[in-house]
Amino acid sequence: MNYFSSEFKLGILGGGQLGKMMLYNTRKFDIQTYVLDPSDEAPSKMACNAFSKGDLMDFDTVYNFGKQVDVLTFEIENVNVDALEKLESEGVKVYPSSKNLRTIQNKAKQKLFYLDRNLPTSEFSRFAYASEIEDAILNGGIKFPFVWKSAQFGYDGTGVKVVRSMDDLKGLPKGECIAEELIDFKNELAVIVARNPDGEIKTYPVVEMEFHPEANQVEYVICPARIPEDIAKKAQEVALKVSKAFNHVGLLAVEMFQTQDDEILINEVAPRPHNSGHQTIEASYTSQFEQHIRAILNLPLGKTDSKVGGIMVNLVGAENYTGDVVYKNIAKIMKMEGVTPHIYGKKQTRPFRKMGHVTIVNKDLNVARQIAEKVKNTIKVISK
Amino acid sequence: MNYFSSEFKLGILGGGQLGKMMLYNTRKFDIQTYVLDPSDEAPSKMACNAFSKGDLMDFDTVYNFGKQVDVLTFEIENVNVDALEKLESEGVKVYPSSKNLRTIQNKAKQKLFYLDRNLPTSEFSRFAYASEIEDAILNGGIKFPFVWKSAQFGYDGTGVKVVRSMDDLKGLPKGECIAEELIDFKNELAVIVARNPDGEIKTYPVVEMEFHPEANQVEYVICPARIPEDIAKKAQEVALKVSKAFNHVGLLAVEMFQTQDDEILINEVAPRPHNSGHQTIEASYTSQFEQHIRAILNLPLGKTDSKVGGIMVNLVGAENYTGDVVYKNIAKIMKMEGVTPHIYGKKQTRPFRKMGHVTIVNKDLNVARQIAEKVKNTIKVISK
C-alpha cells in the first residue's frame, strides 16, 4: 500500500484533541483523513479531509464509517468494538486491534490479562456486581483500604475511588468492578511503546508524574523521570513485556507504580497517544502523534530520544469558575523561557475541566522544573 | 485586545504551505482564522475557520476580506498593497505594514532603501526599462558580468539572470529592473529576525546555504552556519540593522552574502516565514511559524536558540518527470535518524517544482550533514 498517494484513506474514530494532534502529522505526510465524532464542534473537524457526525458506540455508524477507509485508528477507547471486529474480518486494517481494545476497555479483563501472563501488577479481586464487595469484606476476602474501579469506561479519575471504610462504598455504581490493592508508591511512572505491523518496536524514555504533596493530584509529567538508572531500565523492560504480550500496533502507553521496595507494577495501559506523552511534541525527536501515525501506517518508527528535558503541566479549569473561558496571564507564561501553551479550544470552563496543557523545555531539567512551577502559579483558567 | 477569545479574528492573505504552517500554530493558541487565496485547492483551506476564494491582487477583494478581521498578515508578497494601506488607515492592524511591503515588493526600491540608510549591499544600477541596460554597457556605466533582476515580482529564481555578454540580454522582460554587481561570495547566509509591536526583538542563529559544487543550486540550509564566530556576529548585526531600519512587525528573513573578504552584504529580505527557517520546526525552541504568530499578535517572543543542529533539504520534482507525484524511497529516508519529511500535498510534479522539504536534526551537525546527503541521494520526486 502506498500511503503517500491520494488513493489511501485513514480513518480516525473520535475528533478530540488527541485526534487533532494526529491530524497535524497526517498533513505533514499529505495523507487523506476521515474523522467520525458525535460533536459538531469536534476540534478535529477543521483538520481533516472529511468529517462525519455520529455515535462512536453505534455498530452501524462505526461500521459504515470504517468501510470507506484503508486503515482505521481511534483516539478514544469508547468505541463499538464489534464493528471494529467485523471491519477487520472484511480487510480493513484496524490499529490497535479490536482484540486488544476489548481487553483494555474492561479493567477486570485487563488485570486478568496481566495475571495470566505473569506480568507484574497489584493484587485485585473482580466482582460482577459492586454489591458483592461488602460480602468479600465481611468474609475477610479483601481488606481496607483498597481501590474500587469500575470495569467499564473509567477514564481520567472517574470510575476510581479509594475505599477506606464501609461508608465509602455507598453510592458506587452497581456494575462489574474490581477491588485493587492500594499501592503505597514512591513514583508513578509511564513508558510509551510504539510498534508497527512489521514488528519494529521503540520505547520513549520513562516519565514521572509528580504529585501535589497535599492535593494528591498529578501536577507535572517530567521527562526523563528523576529515578536511578536501574529503576528506569526495569520500567522499560516491564513496558516492553506488556507491549509484547499485546502484540499491539500503534502506541501503547504503560502506566506503572514504583513501589517503596522498588518493584515495578503495571497500573493500566492506553492504546493511543497519551497525556504522559504530550511533552514529546517539544522535547523529543519524534512526537508521540507522529510516531502513532508512522506505526499504524507501517512506516519506519522515528527516534524516541529527547532533544531536551521536558515537563508538561495540565491546564484545568480553576475552582469556582464556570462559563466562557479566559486564560489569565497567558502572555506572562509565554514570556518564560521554553514555554509553549496548547489551548484545546473548549469555549466553556468548569472546575477541573481539562482545557489544555503547557510544555516547558530546557537543556537542564531542574531549570525546566523551576519554570514549570512558575507557570503553574501564574496562569489561571477562569471565566469572564 | 484579548487574542485568546472567540471575538478576535486573524486574517491571512495566501493559503499556501507557509500559511498552513502558520495556521497549525494558531490552533495551538485557539485563534479564529480567515484565509484568502485564489485557489480552491489551497493547502490552508482545511486548516482555517473560514476560507474565501479570491484574487490577492484585486483591491476590492483584499479590502473586503481585510475588513472582517482584527489583524491581517500574509504569506506571500504578491498582494494588493493599496488595499492594505486603506485597511491600516481604517484601524485594521496589518503586519507587516503596507509601507514595508511596498519597499520590499520592488527590488529597485529595496536596494535604494539600503543605500539611503547606509546598509551594506552590493553595487547596482536601476533602469526604468531593460532596453536602457545596453546603452549603459556601451557607455561603460556597467560591466560584464552582472546580475539582472526584474524589479517586480521576482521570486525563487525567476526574474533573476546572470548576464555575461550582450547575448544574455536577449529575451529579458522589458520592464523596470536593476543590474547588480555579481558577488563572488564565500557563503550565502541568512538570519531571521522577529519583532513585535512592543518592540521586542529576537534573532535566530545564522544559517548557511550550501550550494551544489557544480549545479550552483542551494542544496542544504544548515543551522547553525559553519562559519567563524566573528563572522556570525557580524551577520547578526547587519540583520538587526536591517530590522531596525524597517521597524517591521513579524518576521524579517535577511539573506546575505559573505564575500571573499569577509564583508557582509545584504542580498534581499522577505517579511514572512522563509525557506531558510523551515528547520526551526524541529531544531529550535520556537518555530519560525509560531514566532510569526507571537510577533503579529504582540505576544512575548519565544526562545530562538536551537535544541539541536538542523539541516533542511528541499524536495523538488526530478528532471524528466511530469504528472501524478510519487515520493520514491520516502520510507527509506524515514528510517534514517532524526529525519522528518514535510510533503506539501501538490498532486502534480514537474521538473524543479517545490514539492516539500525534509529536515534532519542531530546533536552533532556533522552527522546531520552526512545523513542529509544520504537523504538527498535516496529520495526522488517522480511521477507514476
Side-chain angles (χ1 to χ4, degrees):
Chain A
M1 167 93 48
N2 180 6
Y3 300 108
F4 298 91
S5 87
S6 49
E7 285 95 55
F8 173 74
K9 287 167 187 161
L10 171 68
I12 304 180
L13 296 172
Q17 190 59 27
L18 297 176
K20 193 178 86 173
M21 305 268 214
M22 283 185 206
L23 285 167
Y24 288 165
N25 286 287
T26 64
R27 298 326 309 151
K28 203 152 65 180
F29 303 150
D30 190 36
I31 286 161
Q32 300 258 351
T33 48
Y34 288 65
V35 168
L36 177 69
D37 192 273
S39 167
D40 252 342
E41 290 180 7
S44 284
K45 198 176 172 182
M46 63 182 267
C48 62
N49 294 85
F51 178 82
S52 309
K53 188 180 165 179
D55 184 354
L56 298 171
M57 292 303 292
D58 181 66
F59 181 92
D60 288 338
T61 305
V62 172
Y63 175 76
N64 291 328
F65 174 80
K67 283 302 276 184
Q68 327 169 68
V69 302
D70 302 292
V71 172
L72 184 63
T73 188
F74 44 85
E75 56 125 42
I76 186 168
E77 286 96 330
N78 299 359
V79 301
N80 189 297
V81 193
D82 293 332
L84 298 186
E85 200 174 328
K86 188 163 164 65
L87 288 163
E88 279 168 346
S89 74
E90 292 174 8
V92 177
K93 285 174 183 161
V94 179
Y95 301 131
S97 67
S98 63
K99 193 178 153 212
N100 280 341
L101 184 55
R102 237 185 248 288
T103 304
I104 292 166
Q105 268 189 348
N106 183 296
K107 287 200 177 156
K109 270 200 193 138
Q110 199 186 129
K111 287 291 268 188
L112 286 168
F113 179 89
Y114 303 137
L115 200 69
D116 288 350
R117 281 153 189 83
N118 233 347
L119 293 165
T121 191
S122 60
E123 287 186 23
F124 73 101
S125 307
R126 177 200 169 259
F127 301 96
Y129 300 98
S131 57
E132 297 172 1
I133 298 183
E134 210 163 315
D135 295 338
I137 294 167
L138 296 174
N139 297 339
I142 54 173
K143 292 199 178 79
F144 297 120
F146 60 86
V147 183
W148 165 88
K149 287 183 179 174
S150 165
Q152 297 285 352
F153 305 138
Y155 296 103
D156 292 339
T158 67
V160 177
K161 191 179 182 183
V162 176
V163 177
R164 297 183 191 276
S165 70
M166 283 293 184
D167 260 13
D168 288 340
L169 288 170
K170 283 177 192 159
L172 286 183
K174 298 187 176 171
E176 186 187 5
C177 60
I178 56 172
E180 224 180 67
E181 185 189 359
L182 178 66
I183 301 292
D184 175 25
F185 55 82
K186 255 193 213 171
N187 281 303
E188 204 172 322
L189 308 173
V191 171
I192 293 176
V193 188
R195 183 176 177 280
N196 70 14
D198 278 353
E200 188 189 1
I201 293 181
K202 283 197 179 168
T203 60
Y204 280 90
V206 183
V207 303
E208 161 199 357
M209 330 289 176
E210 189 184 328
F211 281 73
H212 187 283
E214 285 140 41
N216 201 34
Q217 257 198 333
V218 177
E219 279 202 295
Y220 309 106
V221 173
I222 299 180
C223 178
R226 300 161 300 178
I227 52 174
E229 216 173 294
D230 60 321
I231 306 293
K233 214 181 143 197
K234 209 162 154 184
Q236 292 264 7
E237 281 166 1
V238 169
L240 274 172
K241 274 186 197 162
V242 179
S243 164
K244 273 170 196 157
F246 278 111
N247 231 12
H248 63 106
V249 168
L251 300 187
L252 191 76
V254 184
E255 294 186 72
M256 291 165 280
F257 298 119
Q258 175 193 355
T259 68
Q260 296 297 346
D261 304 331
D262 290 339
E263 252 194 304
I264 299 290
L265 298 177
I266 302 153
N267 179 15
E268 56 183 42
V269 302
R272 51 165 171 80
H274 190 249
N275 196 50
S276 66
H278 285 338
Q279 75 291 336
T280 58
I281 299 173
E282 287 86 4
S284 306
Y285 281 89
T286 311
S287 82
Q288 66 167 343
F289 301 99
E290 178 175 335
Q291 196 74 294
H292 185 70
I293 298 296
R294 284 182 180 235
I296 62 174
L297 264 46
N298 205 14
L299 289 165
L301 301 178
K303 185 170 167 178
T304 50
D305 302 35
S306 297
K307 296 170 186 165
V308 284
I311 296 187
M312 195 275 288
V313 178
N314 282 318
L315 276 186
V316 298
E319 275 187 282
N320 304 320
Y321 291 94
T322 298
D324 288 352
V325 66
V326 173
Y327 299 93
K328 200 182 155 191
N329 294 332
I330 190 161
K332 276 192 191 156
I333 68 159
M334 288 176 78
K335 208 166 189 165
M336 300 175 190
E337 196 185 321
V339 170
T340 308
H342 292 260
I343 304 298
Y344 295 169
K346 299 172 185 172
K347 299 304 167 211
Q348 304 280 316
T349 184
R350 55 175 185 263
F352 306 112
R353 187 176 194 198
K354 210 172 156 207
M355 302 299 286
H357 74 265
V358 181
T359 313
I360 300 95
V361 289
N362 200 290
K363 284 195 177 158
D364 183 336
L365 191 65
N366 295 317
V367 174
R369 176 61 185 74
Q370 285 160 17
I371 296 171
E373 193 157 335
K374 271 200 248 170
V375 166
K376 183 114 195 153
N377 293 334
T378 303
I379 190 165
K380 296 280 172 250
V381 183
I382 59 174
S383 55
K384 276 186 192 160
Chain B
M1 169 90 49
N2 178 8
Y3 299 108
F4 297 92
S5 85
S6 49
E7 285 93 56
F8 172 74
K9 286 167 188 161
L10 171 68
I12 304 179
L13 297 171
Q17 192 58 27
L18 297 176
K20 193 178 86 171
M21 305 268 215
M22 283 186 206
L23 285 167
Y24 289 165
N25 286 287
T26 64
R27 298 325 311 151
K28 203 153 66 178
F29 303 151
D30 190 36
I31 287 160
Q32 299 258 350
T33 48
Y34 289 63
V35 169
L36 177 68
D37 192 273
S39 166
D40 252 342
E41 288 179 8
S44 283
K45 200 175 171 182
M46 64 182 265
C48 62
N49 294 87
F51 178 81
S52 308
K53 189 181 167 179
D55 183 354
L56 298 171
M57 293 304 291
D58 181 65
F59 181 92
D60 288 339
T61 306
V62 172
Y63 174 75
N64 291 327
F65 174 81
K67 284 302 275 184
Q68 324 169 72
V69 302
D70 302 291
V71 172
L72 184 63
T73 189
F74 43 85
E75 57 123 42
I76 186 168
E77 286 95 332
N78 298 1
V79 301
N80 190 297
V81 193
D82 294 332
L84 298 186
E85 201 173 328
K86 190 164 163 65
L87 288 165
E88 279 167 346
S89 75
E90 293 175 7
V92 177
K93 287 176 181 158
V94 180
Y95 301 131
S97 68
S98 63
K99 194 178 152 212
N100 280 341
L101 184 56
R102 238 185 247 289
T103 305
I104 292 166
Q105 266 188 350
N106 183 297
K107 286 200 178 157
K109 271 200 191 137
Q110 198 186 132
K111 287 290 267 188
L112 287 168
F113 179 89
Y114 303 137
L115 200 67
D116 288 349
R117 282 155 189 81
N118 234 345
L119 293 165
T121 191
S122 59
E123 286 185 24
F124 74 101
S125 306
R126 177 202 168 258
F127 300 97
Y129 302 96
S131 57
E132 297 173 2
I133 298 182
E134 211 164 313
D135 294 341
I137 295 166
L138 296 172
N139 298 339
I142 53 174
K143 290 198 180 79
F144 298 120
F146 60 86
V147 183
W148 165 89
K149 287 183 178 175
S150 165
Q152 297 284 352
F153 304 139
Y155 297 103
D156 293 337
T158 69
V160 176
K161 190 180 181 183
V162 177
V163 178
R164 299 182 190 278
S165 70
M166 284 294 186
D167 260 13
D168 289 339
L169 287 170
K170 284 179 191 157
L172 286 183
K174 298 188 173 169
E176 186 186 4
C177 60
I178 56 174
E180 225 180 66
E181 183 190 1
L182 178 66
I183 302 293
D184 175 25
F185 55 82
K186 255 192 215 170
N187 281 302
E188 204 172 322
L189 307 173
V191 171
I192 294 176
V193 188
R195 184 177 176 280
N196 70 16
D198 278 352
E200 188 187 0
I201 293 180
K202 284 196 178 170
T203 60
Y204 280 90
V206 184
V207 302
E208 160 200 359
M209 330 289 176
E210 188 182 329
F211 281 73
H212 187 282
E214 285 139 39
N216 201 35
Q217 256 196 334
V218 177
E219 279 202 294
Y220 309 104
V221 173
I222 299 180
C223 179
R226 298 160 302 176
I227 53 174
E229 217 172 293
D230 60 322
I231 306 293
K233 214 182 143 194
K234 210 163 153 182
Q236 291 264 8
E237 281 165 2
V238 169
L240 274 172
K241 274 185 197 163
V242 180
S243 165
K244 274 170 195 155
F246 278 111
N247 230 11
H248 63 105
V249 168
L251 300 187
L252 191 76
V254 184
E255 293 186 73
M256 291 166 281
F257 297 120
Q258 176 193 355
T259 68
Q260 297 295 346
D261 305 330
D262 289 338
E263 252 193 305
I264 297 291
L265 299 177
I266 302 153
N267 179 15
E268 57 183 42
V269 302
R272 53 168 170 76
H274 190 250
N275 196 49
S276 66
H278 285 338
Q279 75 291 338
T280 59
I281 299 173
E282 285 87 4
S284 307
Y285 281 90
T286 312
S287 83
Q288 66 167 344
F289 301 99
E290 178 175 334
Q291 197 75 293
H292 185 71
I293 297 297
R294 284 181 179 235
I296 63 174
L297 264 44
N298 204 15
L299 289 166
L301 300 178
K303 185 170 170 177
T304 51
D305 302 34
S306 297
K307 295 169 189 167
V308 284
I311 297 187
M312 196 274 289
V313 177
N314 282 319
L315 275 188
V316 298
E319 275 187 282
N320 304 320
Y321 291 94
T322 299
D324 289 351
V325 65
V326 173
Y327 299 94
K328 200 184 156 191
N329 294 333
I330 190 160
K332 274 191 192 158
I333 69 159
M334 288 177 78
K335 209 167 186 163
M336 299 175 189
E337 197 185 319
V339 169
T340 308
H342 292 259
I343 304 299
Y344 295 170
K346 299 170 185 174
K347 301 302 167 212
Q348 303 281 317
T349 185
R350 53 173 186 261
F352 306 113
R353 185 175 195 199
K354 209 174 156 206
M355 302 298 286
H357 73 263
V358 181
T359 313
I360 301 96
V361 288
N362 201 291
K363 285 196 175 157
D364 183 337
L365 191 64
N366 295 318
V367 173
R369 176 62 185 75
Q370 285 161 18
I371 296 171
E373 194 158 333
K374 269 198 251 172
V375 165
K376 184 115 195 151
N377 293 334
T378 303
I379 190 165
K380 297 279 172 251
V381 182
I382 59 173
S383 55
K384 276 182 195 166

